[in-house]
Amino acid sequence: MRAGGAGGRKPRGEPGKGGLRGREAEADAQGPGVEARIAAGVLLNAALERRGGMDEVMGKAEVAALSGPDRAFARAVALAALRRLGEIDAILDRRLAKRPSPAVMTILRLALAQLLVLETPAFAVVSTAVRQAERDGATRQYKGLVNAVLRGIGRDGFGPTDPVANLPDWLAARWRATYGEAALAGLAEATRHEPPTDLTPRDPSGAEAVAAAVEGDVLPGGSVRTRLKGDVAGWPGFEDGTWWVQDAAAAAPARLLTARPGETVLDLCAAPGGKTLQLAATGAVVTALDRSDSRLKRLRANLARTKLEAEVVVAPAEDWEDARQFDAVLLDAPCTATGTYRRNPEALSATRPADVAKLADVQHRLLDVAAAKVKPGGRLVYCVCSLEREEGETQIIAFLRRNPAFRTVAAVPAEVGAPNEALTPEGWLRILPSMWAERGGVDGFFVARLERVG
């Protein structure tokens, strides 16, 4: 097998030399060992089983007992495996007569993630993978297979890979039909790359100063994209509340609402709260509502850190008994979140076709709730971090048909920090993760601004 394609570089190191046992100490000296790989497997499988599973198991013993660097390594390996899962499985399938048990596949997937993405030295990957197999009775008999497969890849290279393989077949088919073959290629390529971190400055006029402090660049619209890595709590400006973490695309909807000082603004489904902070920073009088008190804890903490104010209400939007109407309403509706796969690759594996219709029904109801809260002459912004038309364009088309008192107000991408190519003929924004590729990409969003004229 020859190396080729985007994944065709040969793994570093030569696992065939020196004897596996004789190099265990050297492998350990390269960094995290077997325990970190076991934890990575726990994280990977939790993410494949359910949305949010990786975050839920961070407190489990296999993960929590690790040192901080080992825990970070385990998470990095699991995320790398998730992002490139389709390519990794294709490489392995060329080496396997048939797939072994899920436990063995986990070991092999993690090893390939280290070789293909993290470029860990091959001898260290092989050594720790074999020892990981030895640790469990269910995988011990396959340690020879693990050794042979990884040594063969180390010898021959990865072979050609296609990033479209990283997308579930049903999503690839949907996106091909919706956006076309060229766009699908860009969407698939975006699965391969760890996204940079974006920050929203509390004071938009201070964006350049924030960028200088965090080794970043100011993006169109005023977000700051930083090159820093690691715990954000230690970055300059965090303790002072000078900024908060928020993807550049996620910052566009609140900017599109154009809240002004003294206006009353309702942020529906507000948690975790980045948009609430943006709205409060304009000087508007903000009410932030969400059904989850636990998710609102983060919003309350960020309000305190940034010294911003908002009324925080815990209630389901459909059951909230409050007669007030507002100058502006923002609805960031619950959705499949398929546009966030750059940061949350588990969104691809955790989402099922039935979820689209189920959540579209929720969005339909919430849009009507939001519309009733808008004063005559007021504004409504609807957004979802989904790439599915049923959750975006189709929702607004149907809403405008049943709500003739509303009309679209066209967005100006440059004013809100969205890619120019995101503007649709209707005046909405359809932001794709493949846009701004030269800057490091952006999360996928649909955003529409409406005005109540009657």
Side-chain angles (χ1 to χ4, degrees), residues 100-362:
S101 68
V104 177
M105 281 298 293
T106 295
I107 294 172
L108 290 172
R109 284 168 166 171
L110 295 173
L112 260 291
Q114 294 167 69
L115 293 172
L116 181 67
V117 183
L118 304 182
E119 297 185 320
T120 306
F123 71 84
V125 171
V126 176
S127 173
T128 51
V130 171
R131 282 188 286 155
Q132 185 177 351
E134 288 177 334
R135 290 276 292 270
D136 188 340
T139 58
R140 189 171 298 126
Q141 63 181 311
Y142 296 100
K143 67 179 183 179
L145 173 69
V146 170
N147 183 45
V149 168
L150 297 180
R151 285 178 181 272
I153 293 171
R155 180 184 64 248
D156 301 331
F158 301 118
T161 58
D162 182 354
V164 174
N166 300 323
L167 303 173
D169 290 343
W170 71 276
L171 274 178
R174 287 175 65 91
W175 295 351
R176 181 182 288 110
T178 301
Y179 302 114
E181 195 68 44
L184 176 65
L187 292 171
E189 180 62 30
T191 65
R192 288 176 157 178
H193 306 291
E194 179 184 0
T197 300
D198 295 340
L199 312 176
T200 299
R202 181 181 57 202
D203 179 0
S205 68
E208 291 289 352
V210 171
V214 300
E215 302 174 22
D217 301 297
V218 180
L219 298 175
S223 294
V224 172
R225 179 155 290 179
T226 176
R227 290 178 286 277
L228 295 179
K229 302 289 184 181
D231 185 3
V232 300
W235 295 358
F238 177 84
E239 289 292 341
D240 297 333
T242 306
W243 48 261
W244 53 90
V245 175
Q246 186 178 31
D247 188 83
R255 294 187 186 125
L256 191 60
L257 196 63
T258 60
R260 292 181 282 270
E263 283 192 318
T264 56
V265 179
L266 174 63
D267 185 5
L268 285 173
C269 308
K275 298 175 182 66
T276 299
L277 298 176
Q278 285 181 274
L279 297 170
T282 67
V285 180
V286 180
T287 299
L289 181 142
D290 199 278
R291 67 185 305 136
S292 172
D293 187 42
S294 61
R295 281 169 51 82
L296 284 170
K297 288 179 181 177
R298 181 176 171 187
L299 170 55
R300 293 188 184 99
N302 276 324
L303 285 169
R305 181 175 63 85
T306 58
K307 300 178 179 61
L308 294 171
E309 294 183 359
E311 176 191 10
V312 179
V313 179
V314 182
E318 294 169 276
D319 299 333
W320 187 39
E321 296 181 359
D322 191 304
R324 285 179 292 174
Q325 288 187 313
F326 298 80
D327 295 309
V329 176
L330 173 62
L331 172 58
D332 184 358
C335 68
T336 56
T338 51
T340 68
Y341 64 82
R342 295 162 60 249
R343 299 186 189 283
N344 306 298
E346 66 268 28
L348 296 178
S349 58
T351 303
R352 301 289 181 265
D355 295 340
V356 179
K358 178 181 178 181
L359 285 162
D361 183 59
V362 174

